[in-house]
Amino acid sequence: MPATTAAAEKLLLQMVDDYTTREISPEDMPMDAAGDFPAGFMQKLTDTGFLGIMLPQEFGGAGFGPEVTAAALNHIARGNASTAVTLEGHFKTIDQILKFGTPALQKQLLPSANDRIFAFSMTEASGGSNPMGISSTATREGDHWVITGDKIMITNGGLAQVYCVLVKTAPKELSVFVVDQDMPGFSFGKREDFIGLRGTPVGEIVMDHIVVDNDHLLGKLGDGGIIGDSAHDDARILMGAVLTGIMEHELKIATDYAKERKAGDKPLTELQVTHRKVADIAMRKETTKLLYQRAAQLKAAGQPYSEEAAMAKAHGSRAAVSAGDDTLQILAGYGYSREYPVEHLIRDARAMEIAEGTVEKMRSAIATAEFNK
Ligand SMILES: Cc1cc2nc3c(=O)[nH]c(=O)nc-3n(C[C@H](O)[C@H](O)[C@H](O)COP(=O)(O)OP(=O)(O)OC[C@H]3O[C@@H](n4cnc5c(N)ncnc54)[C@H](O)[C@@H]3O)c2cc1C
């Protein structure tokens, strides 16, 4: 049974649209220039209830399912992809605590997810594509675990207060624990100066002998690989939605400009070269939308969705970069200028060929799924 009604879903998306137009879109260009969100921005988003969109109602959230949650991020990304990605990082982490956390941990942590941001931390300096190469460890001492290590390039790193962390519990055993910013031994390190999604904080967390009890383990010892894959799957659906939002933004810029701009005495809309570009942008946008919506439908129905989620992000990330390039070419000199958002939309989309698993890793996952059929 869905936790929400069709009327509530419609109302949510209308609220998200209105709020995005009023409060989030106007900050898109300033955030890109500043490399940060403005003071008070995140608090307002929290006060408006955005952090609890997919959190079940028993924990005080709104309880919307995967399809509506993805649609909400899609609507936000039409105006500001960075803000949508901050929420994506939060939602995928909540999802793993819902799937793998003990009832006691869920009860302790999840009500706070309405006003505290969560993050999922796997990558270390040794590389993100090879989880077995990590050095962070959790060592059992009596009835507690002691966690030590350093995670880099974490979405919401420095902003979030709760972190799922992938660690080794034996030389060849990966496990995931949950740590809190308030725990002794927790600190923040370097914040990345990335070229895109510049309104999303991405940074380092340092864990120096953090002591947690066994309830802070997600799943069982050795489930780290499964939980990491699950986090990627959930994130990739949401990234497909964000990428669709970026392409909707690009398409609007391209069509608005083509209607206004003249080449000689003809508007750009009458040139076949413009038709080709606009049609390609629209097709890339629609195919990505169908892929992420299909993955979200499968997830909502309790079916496997890993391959479809990988397709949504692998296809959508290159599609949004290419659509941005076509948009830039339609605007030509203005497209190349920082006065227009086109160049930053390309930089934003480019991040998603790397984050949540590189496109190379996703293609391997998709091909393996096909070989196994
Ligand atoms: C915007 C952004 C947000 C991020 N957020 C998070 C986050 O929230 N949490 C987190 O843990 N990490 C996060 N990351 C880190 C991200 O997951 C890693 O950058 C990514 O997994 C790749 O790791 P790497 O950069 O170390 O590259 P490497 O793993 O060193 O890879 C280098 C190159 O080799 C290729 N390669 C490596 N191994 C293989 C293989 N087996 N098959 C095919 N190709 C391979 C890669 O595709 C890549 O082209 C984020 C990164 C970005 C850019």
Side-chain angles (χ1 to χ4, degrees):
M1 279 283 282
T4 56
T5 62
E9 292 172 2
K10 198 170 158 206
L11 214 61
L12 172 85
L13 295 180
Q14 187 58 55
M15 183 281 280
V16 168
D17 267 346
D18 293 346
Y19 190 86
T20 300
T21 306
R22 211 176 52 247
E23 304 280 347
I24 301 179
S25 296
E27 298 299 342
D28 184 46
M29 295 283 275
M31 277 186 188
D32 180 63
D36 209 348
F37 51 81
F41 179 83
M42 232 15 106
Q43 192 54 54
K44 249 178 159 174
L45 202 71
T46 305
D47 295 344
T48 315
F50 277 75
L51 301 193
I53 287 176
M54 51 69 75
L55 189 66
Q57 289 167 352
E58 63 179 298
F59 301 114
F64 288 101
E67 292 152 287
V68 182
T69 301
L73 291 201
N74 166 251
H75 287 218
I76 295 168
R78 290 172 188 167
N80 186 325
S82 288
T83 303
V85 168
T86 289
L87 291 170
E88 168 269 314
H90 176 64
F91 292 159
K92 70 149 183 223
T93 310
I94 293 175
D95 247 337
Q96 307 325 306
I97 297 173
L98 285 168
K99 287 183 196 174
F100 301 103
T102 61
L105 183 73
Q106 292 178 358
K107 209 168 149 202
Q108 180 196 332
L109 277 181
L110 289 180
S112 78
N114 285 295
D115 45 37
R116 298 202 303 167
I117 293 181
F118 288 31
F120 202 95
S121 319
M122 293 195 270
T123 305
E124 298 190 3
S126 57
S129 304
N130 173 26
M132 266 303 170
I134 64 168
S135 311
S136 294
T137 55
T139 314
R140 197 190 276 277
E141 286 187 13
D143 57 354
H144 288 89
W145 290 92
V146 180
I147 301 177
T148 295
D150 196 337
K151 298 283 176 189
I152 61 165
M153 297 189 191
I154 306 308
T155 297
N156 298 334
L159 169 70
Q161 285 156 291
V162 176
Y163 294 81
C164 289
V165 292
L166 183 77
V167 295
K168 279 190 171 163
T169 37
K172 289 200 160 50
E173 184 179 81
L174 295 172
S175 303
V176 174
F177 286 84
V178 185
V179 299
D180 202 300
Q181 183 203 330
D182 296 334
M183 291 175 170
F186 185 101
S187 61
F188 294 124
K190 177 187 160 209
R191 179 171 168 164
E192 297 298 336
D193 185 14
F194 277 157
I195 61 166
L197 295 176
R198 288 175 53 75
T200 310
V202 180
E204 177 183 13
I205 62 164
V206 181
M207 301 170 290
D208 182 7
H209 295 86
I210 298 179
V211 178
V212 294
D213 60 29
N214 211 42
D215 254 352
H216 283 70
L217 172 71
L218 291 190
K220 302 187 302 300
L221 287 176
D223 279 352
I226 294 168
I227 299 170
D229 286 349
S230 163
H232 275 151
D233 291 345
D234 292 325
R236 288 169 187 171
I237 296 177
L238 300 177
M239 283 201 166
V242 172
L243 288 158
T244 303
I246 291 176
M247 284 184 269
E248 285 163 337
H249 193 173
E250 290 167 341
L251 186 59
K252 177 153 183 13
I253 295 168
T255 50
D256 284 354
Y257 189 83
K259 285 186 222 166
E260 290 291 320
R261 183 75 169 176
K262 286 205 162 55
D265 54 358
K266 272 187 182 176
L268 292 190
T269 49
E270 288 185 22
L271 301 181
Q272 246 186 18
V273 285
T274 311
H275 295 174
R276 163 100 202 227
K277 290 186 183 72
V278 168
D280 282 352
I281 299 167
M283 287 191 287
R284 293 184 190 110
K285 184 259 298 172
E286 262 329 282
T287 46
T288 306
K289 183 174 168 181
L290 290 170
L291 283 168
Y292 93 73
Q293 288 183 337
R294 172 81 185 128
Q297 271 166 11
L298 289 168
K299 180 177 171 180
Q303 304 284 322
Y305 55 94
S306 182
E307 186 183 3
E308 290 75 9
M311 285 180 180
K313 191 177 90 85
H315 173 77
S317 50
R318 183 42 47 172
V321 171
S322 302
D325 198 41
D326 277 341
T327 305
L328 190 153
Q329 196 63 16
I330 290 172
L331 273 68
Y334 290 117
Y336 198 62
S337 162
R338 284 188 194 277
E339 240 179 81
Y340 281 78
V342 186
E343 58 85 26
H344 108 69
L345 295 179
I346 297 174
R347 288 186 276 109
D348 286 357
R350 190 66 179 80
M352 285 172 266
E353 294 198 289
I354 302 164
E356 303 300 350
T358 63
V359 281
E360 291 82 4
K361 290 277 289 185
M362 281 184 296
R363 286 206 159 78
S364 289
I366 294 165
T368 305
E370 291 299 324
F371 294 143
N372 288 338
K373 280 180 184 169

